[in-house]
PDB file of all heavy atoms in Angstrom:
ATOM      1  N   VAL A  35     -23.820   8.635  -0.636  1.00 98.00           N
ATOM      2  CA  VAL A  35     -23.867   7.296  -1.315  1.00 98.00           C
ATOM      3  C   VAL A  35     -23.085   6.343  -0.381  1.00 98.00           C
ATOM      4  O   VAL A  35     -21.859   6.444  -0.294  1.00 98.00           O
ATOM      5  CB  VAL A  35     -23.240   7.335  -2.718  1.00 98.00           C
ATOM      6  CG1 VAL A  35     -23.397   6.017  -3.354  1.00 98.00           C
ATOM      7  CG2 VAL A  35     -23.906   8.422  -3.540  1.00 98.00           C
ATOM      8  N   LEU A  36     -23.874   5.408   0.288  1.00 97.00           N
ATOM      9  CA  LEU A  36     -23.288   4.503   1.173  1.00 97.00           C
ATOM     10  C   LEU A  36     -22.602   3.416   0.447  1.00 97.00           C
ATOM     11  O   LEU A  36     -22.942   3.079  -0.692  1.00 97.00           O
ATOM     12  CB  LEU A  36     -24.398   3.850   2.023  1.00 97.00           C
ATOM     13  CG  LEU A  36     -24.962   4.813   3.045  1.00 97.00           C
ATOM     14  CD1 LEU A  36     -26.173   4.219   3.667  1.00 97.00           C
ATOM     15  CD2 LEU A  36     -23.922   5.346   4.088  1.00 97.00           C
ATOM     16  N   LYS A  37     -21.530   2.760   1.010  1.00 97.00           N
ATOM     17  CA  LYS A  37     -20.998   3.129   2.296  1.00 97.00           C
ATOM     18  C   LYS A  37     -19.795   4.082   2.182  1.00 97.00           C
ATOM     19  O   LYS A  37     -19.433   4.782   3.048  1.00 97.00           O
ATOM     20  CB  LYS A  37     -20.496   1.897   3.011  1.00 97.00           C
ATOM     21  CG  LYS A  37     -21.551   0.813   3.294  1.00 97.00           C
ATOM     22  CD  LYS A  37     -20.801  -0.382   3.855  1.00 97.00           C
ATOM     23  CE  LYS A  37     -21.655  -1.624   3.758  1.00 97.00           C
ATOM     24  NZ  LYS A  37     -20.831  -2.890   4.026  1.00 97.00           N
ATOM     25  N   GLY A  38     -19.221   4.077   0.934  1.00 97.00           N
ATOM     26  CA  GLY A  38     -17.904   4.835   0.786  1.00 97.00           C
ATOM     27  C   GLY A  38     -17.869   6.224   1.194  1.00 97.00           C
ATOM     28  O   GLY A  38     -16.849   6.723   1.596  1.00 97.00           O
ATOM     29  N   ALA A  39     -19.000   6.934   1.055  1.00 98.00           N
ATOM     30  CA  ALA A  39     -19.029   8.392   1.305  1.00 98.00           C
ATOM     31  C   ALA A  39     -19.187   8.823   2.823  1.00 98.00           C
ATOM     32  O   ALA A  39     -19.127   9.954   3.125  1.00 98.00           O
ATOM     33  CB  ALA A  39     -20.072   9.086   0.540  1.00 98.00           C
ATOM     34  N   ARG A  60     -28.195   3.674  -0.866  1.00 96.00           N
ATOM     35  CA  ARG A  60     -27.186   2.606  -0.954  1.00 96.00           C
ATOM     36  C   ARG A  60     -27.361   2.081  -2.266  1.00 96.00           C
ATOM     37  O   ARG A  60     -28.513   1.648  -2.657  1.00 96.00           O
ATOM     38  CB  ARG A  60     -27.411   1.623   0.271  1.00 96.00           C
ATOM     39  CG  ARG A  60     -26.524   0.385   0.174  1.00 96.00           C
ATOM     40  CD  ARG A  60     -25.451   0.447   1.142  1.00 96.00           C
ATOM     41  NE  ARG A  60     -24.730  -0.831   1.219  1.00 96.00           N
ATOM     42  CZ  ARG A  60     -23.687  -1.227   0.496  1.00 96.00           C
ATOM     43  NH1 ARG A  60     -23.111  -0.317  -0.322  1.00 96.00           N
ATOM     44  NH2 ARG A  60     -23.080  -2.385   0.651  1.00 96.00           N
ATOM     45  N   LEU A  61     -26.305   1.791  -3.032  1.00 92.00           N
ATOM     46  CA  LEU A  61     -26.356   1.224  -4.333  1.00 92.00           C
ATOM     47  C   LEU A  61     -25.605  -0.069  -4.398  1.00 92.00           C
ATOM     48  O   LEU A  61     -24.627  -0.159  -3.504  1.00 92.00           O
ATOM     49  CB  LEU A  61     -25.873   2.210  -5.347  1.00 92.00           C
ATOM     50  CG  LEU A  61     -26.475   3.502  -5.381  1.00 92.00           C
ATOM     51  CD1 LEU A  61     -25.728   4.566  -6.106  1.00 92.00           C
ATOM     52  CD2 LEU A  61     -27.854   3.459  -5.887  1.00 92.00           C
ATOM     53  N   SER A  63     -22.809  -2.382  -5.031  1.00 55.00           N
ATOM     54  CA  SER A  63     -21.433  -1.851  -5.226  1.00 55.00           C
ATOM     55  C   SER A  63     -20.446  -2.860  -6.003  1.00 55.00           C
ATOM     56  O   SER A  63     -20.989  -3.917  -6.483  1.00 55.00           O
ATOM     57  CB  SER A  63     -20.802  -1.458  -3.899  1.00 55.00           C
ATOM     58  OG  SER A  63     -20.523  -2.742  -3.235  1.00 55.00           O
ATOM     59  N   TYR A  64     -19.193  -2.672  -5.939  1.00 50.00           N
ATOM     60  CA  TYR A  64     -18.296  -3.496  -6.509  1.00 50.00           C
ATOM     61  C   TYR A  64     -18.234  -4.804  -5.849  1.00 50.00           C
ATOM     62  O   TYR A  64     -17.583  -5.707  -6.391  1.00 50.00           O
ATOM     63  CB  TYR A  64     -16.922  -2.817  -6.176  1.00 50.00           C
ATOM     64  CG  TYR A  64     -16.410  -1.872  -7.286  1.00 50.00           C
ATOM     65  CD1 TYR A  64     -17.267  -1.146  -8.013  1.00 50.00           C
ATOM     66  CD2 TYR A  64     -15.051  -1.752  -7.692  1.00 50.00           C
ATOM     67  CE1 TYR A  64     -17.001  -0.239  -8.954  1.00 50.00           C
ATOM     68  CE2 TYR A  64     -14.620  -0.922  -8.641  1.00 50.00           C
ATOM     69  CZ  TYR A  64     -15.613  -0.136  -9.224  1.00 50.00           C
ATOM     70  OH  TYR A  64     -15.227   0.808 -10.286  1.00 50.00           O
ATOM     71  N   GLU A  93     -20.347  11.725  -3.003  1.00 98.00           N
ATOM     72  CA  GLU A  93     -19.835  10.402  -3.400  1.00 98.00           C
ATOM     73  C   GLU A  93     -18.334  10.389  -3.060  1.00 98.00           C
ATOM     74  O   GLU A  93     -17.649  11.415  -3.124  1.00 98.00           O
ATOM     75  CB  GLU A  93     -20.074  10.240  -4.926  1.00 98.00           C
ATOM     76  CG  GLU A  93     -19.561   8.953  -5.530  1.00 98.00           C
ATOM     77  CD  GLU A  93     -20.022   7.680  -5.031  1.00 98.00           C
ATOM     78  OE1 GLU A  93     -19.996   7.498  -3.744  1.00 98.00           O
ATOM     79  OE2 GLU A  93     -20.423   6.798  -5.785  1.00 98.00           O
ATOM     80  N   ASP A  94     -17.859   9.185  -2.800  1.00 98.00           N
ATOM     81  CA  ASP A  94     -16.476   9.112  -2.475  1.00 98.00           C
ATOM     82  C   ASP A  94     -15.622   9.204  -3.763  1.00 98.00           C
ATOM     83  O   ASP A  94     -14.500   9.978  -3.802  1.00 98.00           O
ATOM     84  CB  ASP A  94     -16.121   7.759  -1.885  1.00 98.00           C
ATOM     85  CG  ASP A  94     -16.669   6.510  -2.558  1.00 98.00           C
ATOM     86  OD1 ASP A  94     -17.339   6.678  -3.594  1.00 98.00           O
ATOM     87  OD2 ASP A  94     -16.471   5.379  -2.025  1.00 98.00           O
ATOM     88  N   ILE A  95     -15.892   8.446  -4.801  1.00 98.00           N
ATOM     89  CA  ILE A  95     -15.034   8.523  -6.017  1.00 98.00           C
ATOM     90  C   ILE A  95     -15.816   8.228  -7.268  1.00 98.00           C
ATOM     91  O   ILE A  95     -16.859   7.425  -7.223  1.00 98.00           O
ATOM     92  CB  ILE A  95     -14.022   7.359  -5.772  1.00 98.00           C
ATOM     93  CG1 ILE A  95     -12.883   7.330  -6.905  1.00 98.00           C
ATOM     94  CG2 ILE A  95     -14.548   5.951  -5.579  1.00 98.00           C
ATOM     95  CD1 ILE A  95     -11.579   6.536  -6.519  1.00 98.00           C
ATOM     96  N   THR A 101     -22.316   4.841 -11.974  1.00 93.00           N
ATOM     97  CA  THR A 101     -23.049   4.951 -10.649  1.00 93.00           C
ATOM     98  C   THR A 101     -23.686   6.278 -10.741  1.00 93.00           C
ATOM     99  O   THR A 101     -24.931   6.395 -10.494  1.00 93.00           O
ATOM    100  CB  THR A 101     -22.107   4.824  -9.429  1.00 93.00           C
ATOM    101  OG1 THR A 101     -21.412   3.495  -9.549  1.00 93.00           O
ATOM    102  CG2 THR A 101     -22.977   4.912  -8.259  1.00 93.00           C
ATOM    103  N   GLY A 151     -12.954   5.998   4.151  1.00 98.00           N
ATOM    104  CA  GLY A 151     -14.295   5.649   3.697  1.00 98.00           C
ATOM    105  C   GLY A 151     -14.228   4.520   2.513  1.00 98.00           C
ATOM    106  O   GLY A 151     -15.105   3.718   2.408  1.00 98.00           O
ATOM    107  N   LEU A 152     -13.242   4.561   1.747  1.00 98.00           N
ATOM    108  CA  LEU A 152     -13.090   3.634   0.619  1.00 98.00           C
ATOM    109  C   LEU A 152     -12.538   2.335   1.031  1.00 98.00           C
ATOM    110  O   LEU A 152     -11.582   2.290   1.861  1.00 98.00           O
ATOM    111  CB  LEU A 152     -12.281   4.263  -0.426  1.00 98.00           C
ATOM    112  CG  LEU A 152     -12.870   5.450  -1.162  1.00 98.00           C
ATOM    113  CD1 LEU A 152     -12.068   6.636  -0.891  1.00 98.00           C
ATOM    114  CD2 LEU A 152     -12.971   5.300  -2.629  1.00 98.00           C
ATOM    115  N   ASP A 153     -13.073   1.241   0.435  1.00 97.00           N
ATOM    116  CA  ASP A 153     -12.736  -0.026   0.957  1.00 97.00           C
ATOM    117  C   ASP A 153     -12.103  -0.902  -0.298  1.00 97.00           C
ATOM    118  O   ASP A 153     -12.289  -0.551  -1.434  1.00 97.00           O
ATOM    119  CB  ASP A 153     -13.912  -0.763   1.439  1.00 97.00           C
ATOM    120  CG  ASP A 153     -14.791  -1.264   0.305  1.00 97.00           C
ATOM    121  OD1 ASP A 153     -15.215  -0.367  -0.533  1.00 97.00           O
ATOM    122  OD2 ASP A 153     -15.120  -2.464   0.264  1.00 97.00           O
ATOM    123  N   ARG A 159     -11.603   1.022   5.474  1.00 98.00           N
ATOM    124  CA  ARG A 159     -12.412   2.314   5.387  1.00 98.00           C
ATOM    125  C   ARG A 159     -11.964   3.293   6.395  1.00 98.00           C
ATOM    126  O   ARG A 159     -12.182   4.452   6.240  1.00 98.00           O
ATOM    127  CB  ARG A 159     -13.794   1.842   5.545  1.00 98.00           C
ATOM    128  CG  ARG A 159     -14.393   1.176   4.444  1.00 98.00           C
ATOM    129  CD  ARG A 159     -16.068   1.106   4.678  1.00 98.00           C
ATOM    130  NE  ARG A 159     -16.635   0.118   3.810  1.00 98.00           N
ATOM    131  CZ  ARG A 159     -17.103   0.328   2.521  1.00 98.00           C
ATOM    132  NH1 ARG A 159     -16.759   1.419   1.870  1.00 98.00           N
ATOM    133  NH2 ARG A 159     -17.660  -0.605   1.847  1.00 98.00           N
TER     134      ARG A 159
HETATM  135 MG1  LIG H   2     -19.218   4.138  -3.597  1.00 90.91          MG
END
Side-chain angles (χ1 to χ4, degrees):
V35 184
L36 293 171
K37 302 173 199 171
R60 172 105 169 94
L61 304 165
S63 75
Y64 272 35
E93 175 62 308
D94 50 1
I95 187 164
T101 305
L152 292 113
D153 74 307
R159 292 193 194 275

